[in-house]
Amino acid sequence: MNTSPLAGKTAPESILTNIPRLISAYYSEKPDPSVPAHRVSFGTSGHRGSSLNHAFNEDHILAITQAICIYRQKNKIDGPLFLGMDTHALSIPAHISAIEVLAANGVNVMVAANDEYTPTPAISHAILTYNENRTDGQADGIVITPSHNPPVDGGFKYNPPHGGPAESPITSWIEQKANEILENELKAVRRMTYKKASKSATTHEHNYIDPYVADLSQVVNMHNIRDANLNLAVDPLGGAGVHYWGPIAEKYNLNLDILNKSVDPTFRFMTVDWDGKIRMDPSSPYAMAGLVDLKEKYDVAFGCDTDHDRHGIVTGKSGLLQPNHFLSSCVYYLFNHRPQWSTDTMIGKTLVSSQMIDRVAKKINRKVLEVPVGFKWFVEGMYSGSLGFVGEESAGASFLRTNGKVWATDKDGIIACLLAAEMKAVTGQDPGEIYAQLSAELGEPVYDRVEAIATPEQKQKLSKLSPAMIQQKELAGEKITDILTNAPGNGAPIGGLKVTSKNGWFAARPSGTEDIYKIYAESFLGNEHLKKLIGEAQEIVDKALK
């Protein structure tokens, strides 16, 4: 993975996205459904792409929205649809296109008051709040976001009545129907003008901010944070939660500096990510360089990605915490400070998250449910309350209310950030210090994730990695203990391969959101052992790509 010379530096003018060109292409460029790259494709989190390469254009959004309307009718989902968008440039035109179709189909759609941006967790919270104690007329939602992806991208995802990411059978059905609509030149699309749709009796303004902010005290001990009088800071990274942090600080009387209130679709205020691209990834030390520089000024500082479903935590001693370190600290802290949670409540993790989580779980006598990458695998457990905390190595997490009931069934970067402050307020230790104690007792793993460009064809090859490709009996000098192509927690295919030994593991899989592949590896024996793990994993990937 070659690091760009621009990494960690403020984005130069030369790499900024031409926003007028991007928006023009949304309307002017027409996808050809006979070309695979032009078709609707739901990855791990919705359909994503850029209008500049015929992957996220008006026709896509019209087709997907109509497919969702047909899905709702087919499954008798007739309550309101909560619609939100983030701050990517393509989100506003996609929002307009969606409203035109939803209104023409008679869907009661709830749009944010004053055209406000809406974080993903606020949509999940709104769906679950509305559906509580309802069996008929349930709500669902659409979130328009490509998450932390670069400014050229757009994204569109569907959340059914359980409030979380739609399961594969649902997204496959919507994807197939949307492509069928594209192939038939949008003849099935019902649509009215935006002027008419925005004034339709079925289009309603909804206040997402106040109910979400008011309920935060049911999931995070906000009074502890207030009483500790901590110095806190947040960088919203120009994302959808930019106007949420002010009301949070005001309602709970927090000493919270909001370091950047700017919304700019070029994201020119960002520091550049590892590969020379602008990417609003709060787990990246390059993207978070500005906040890391201020680490000694605050007790705890944090940032969220563009739809605020991911978190990044910065502390004075640790700087930017690796996501796995924070997840491990969260597990230890929550299961020792949530007395109303059931003793049977489990921990959910993706199979590319740290084995440190398993060691912490064993220490506190809790079971772990290990699932493939994708937050959709946690929805059922979060909804039922059987999973108390769930997390993934890409800095996504959520957890139950303090009373053990569901908070949200999608990732929530806001509560993860506030939990970091709660840890400091209650224990006097920040999450990095808590992790240091855990690693001193349970072992100190080293972890890395390697990424490289991959074509759609190469990604397809990588998704079919199999145990038969592993001829060796040892992994980096240790006996191989397991070769997995299905997750141990639920038996679902992982879309790649994971190989484990006593003190290390690696996993290889194509990204579900970008044209890259990823190799994850972790060692409890140090950096040299980690390098061997990654080297052997790379050899397997190289063979698969030939």
Side-chain angles (χ1 to χ4, degrees):
M1 186 167 72
N2 295 321
T3 303
S4 167
L6 295 176
K9 300 177 182 178
T10 302
E13 193 80 23
S14 60
I15 71 167
L16 298 182
T17 299
N18 184 325
I19 301 301
R21 179 168 172 253
L22 186 72
I23 302 300
S24 296
Y26 175 82
Y27 292 105
S28 64
E29 298 299 318
K30 300 297 179 183
D32 178 355
S34 68
V35 178
H38 292 195
R39 293 173 68 82
V40 172
S41 177
F42 278 75
T44 46
S45 189
H47 173 79
R48 296 186 188 181
S50 175
S51 62
L52 299 176
N53 56 19
H54 302 90
F56 195 91
N57 304 87
E58 183 182 41
D59 285 4
H60 293 108
I61 305 310
L62 297 176
I64 296 170
T65 308
Q66 184 62 52
I68 290 172
C69 290
I70 296 169
Y71 176 83
R72 297 179 95 245
Q73 294 164 5
K74 181 175 178 285
N75 290 276
K76 298 181 172 55
I77 303 170
D78 53 7
L81 184 144
F82 291 92
L83 179 66
M85 64 176 175
D86 76 357
T87 54
H88 276 80
L90 289 172
S91 293
I92 290 178
H95 190 261
I96 290 171
S97 300
I99 291 173
E100 291 174 347
V101 175
L102 293 168
N105 281 271
V107 175
N108 280 290
V109 58
M110 315 298 283
V111 298
N114 303 314
D115 295 322
E116 184 57 77
Y117 304 106
T118 309
T120 287
I123 294 291
S124 182
H125 176 268
I127 294 170
L128 291 175
T129 300
Y130 183 88
N131 288 342
E132 188 175 10
N133 300 321
R134 291 178 187 267
T135 54
D136 297 318
Q138 290 193 321
D140 54 359
I142 291 172
V143 190
I144 302 172
T145 173
S147 190
H148 62 290
N149 277 29
V152 295
D153 283 351
F156 202 87
K157 59 182 183 179
Y158 174 65
N159 286 25
H162 57 51
E167 298 89 337
S168 296
I170 297 175
T171 56
S172 294
W173 191 94
I174 293 171
E175 176 184 306
Q176 183 177 353
K177 179 60 69 173
N179 282 319
E180 178 186 307
I181 292 170
L182 281 179
E183 290 164 356
N184 288 286
E185 300 178 339
L186 304 179
K187 291 174 184 175
V189 173
R190 300 179 65 184
R191 183 185 187 188
M192 62 174 65
T193 65
Y194 180 68
K195 182 177 181 180
K196 186 176 179 181
S198 62
K199 296 178 180 179
S200 169
T202 58
T203 302
H204 314 274
E205 283 199 344
H206 181 72
N207 180 352
Y208 285 98
I209 297 178
D210 290 346
Y212 178 86
V213 172
D215 282 355
L216 281 171
S217 59
Q218 297 180 27
V219 68
V220 178
N221 290 317
M222 302 298 291
H223 64 281
N224 291 123
I225 304 173
R226 177 199 64 211
D227 294 346
N229 201 30
L230 300 176
N231 289 318
L232 305 172
V234 61
D235 187 344
L237 302 183
V242 65
H243 298 143
Y244 279 63
W245 291 105
I248 290 171
E250 182 178 356
K251 179 171 180 60
Y252 298 105
N253 195 24
L254 305 182
N255 294 325
L256 177 66
D257 287 347
I258 306 169
L259 300 178
N260 179 15
K261 298 180 181 180
S262 299
V263 174
D264 180 339
T266 66
F267 294 90
R268 66 178 66 238
F269 46 76
M270 287 294 301
T271 47
V272 179
D273 206 4
W274 67 272
D275 57 354
K277 294 182 179 181
I278 298 173
R279 190 179 285 109
M280 290 61 69
D281 181 357
S283 68
S284 165
Y286 303 108
M288 291 278 279
L291 191 57
V292 173
D293 285 344
L294 301 173
K295 66 181 183 179
E296 295 180 358
K297 186 177 179 181
Y298 299 99
D299 293 306
V300 182
F302 31 78
C304 289
D305 69 337
T306 329
D307 66 322
H308 269 51
D309 69 345
R310 302 185 192 219
H311 58 267
I313 310 300
V314 175
T315 68
K317 291 182 180 178
S318 304
L320 179 65
L321 267 70
Q322 290 187 29
N324 279 314
H325 293 191
F326 182 58
L327 298 181
S328 300
S329 297
C330 288
V331 169
Y332 183 72
Y333 175 83
L334 282 169
F335 284 91
N336 281 297
H337 291 85
R338 292 297 187 267
Q340 294 184 62
W341 287 9
S342 168
T343 55
D344 295 327
T345 304
M346 297 185 294
I347 300 152
K349 58 167 281 198
T350 55
L351 85 169
V352 296
S353 299
S354 175
Q355 282 187 347
M356 186 66 159
I357 296 171
D358 301 81
R359 296 189 179 194
V360 173
K362 185 177 181 180
K363 173 180 171 65
I364 60 176
N365 197 28
R366 295 283 177 157
K367 293 181 179 178
V368 175
L369 181 78
E370 186 170 326
V371 300
V373 173
F375 219 76
K376 62 188 176 184
W377 302 109
F378 296 133
V379 170
E380 183 179 346
M382 292 296 293
Y383 192 79
S384 68
S386 64
L387 291 174
F389 174 84
V390 297
E392 55 186 12
E393 61 78 37
S394 55
S398 189
F399 47 95
L400 298 177
R401 295 173 189 250
T402 54
N403 65 2
K405 303 295 183 182
V406 62
W407 164 255
T409 46
D410 215 328
K411 296 187 287 285
D412 192 333
I414 295 173
I415 64 169
C417 292
L418 293 172
L419 180 65
E422 182 191 327
M423 291 183 197
K424 177 68 173 178
V426 172
T427 69
Q429 296 179 307
D430 64 48
E433 292 169 324
I434 292 174
Y435 182 80
Q437 285 189 342
L438 291 171
S439 60
E441 176 186 351
L442 303 176
E444 188 165 356
V446 285
Y447 180 100
D448 200 5
R449 184 179 74 189
V450 177
E451 300 176 352
I453 300 297
T455 66
E457 292 76 19
Q458 289 174 323
K459 288 172 65 178
Q460 184 67 22
K461 288 181 179 179
L462 288 173
S463 70
K464 295 179 179 178
L465 288 170
S466 70
M469 301 182 70
I470 310 298
Q471 301 297 321
Q472 61 265 44
K473 301 298 181 183
E474 291 188 346
L475 176 63
E478 289 193 317
K479 182 181 177 181
I480 290 175
T481 56
D482 221 339
I483 301 174
L484 302 171
T485 53
N486 294 81
N490 61 0
I494 65 178
L497 185 75
K498 181 176 182 179
V499 182
T500 66
S501 64
K502 181 182 178 181
N503 289 295
W505 60 270
F506 80 81
R509 57 177 290 274
S511 170
T513 58
E514 298 183 79
D515 285 333
I516 58 177
Y517 71 81
K518 301 179 182 181
I519 293 174
Y520 312 78
E522 181 177 49
S523 169
F524 279 82
L525 298 179
N527 284 309
E528 286 304 313
H529 186 242
L530 179 66
K531 289 179 183 177
K532 289 181 181 179
L533 288 170
I534 293 173
E536 292 185 16
Q538 190 67 64
E539 289 177 10
I540 292 170
V541 169
D542 289 344
K543 288 180 182 178
L545 294 180
K546 287 181 179 178

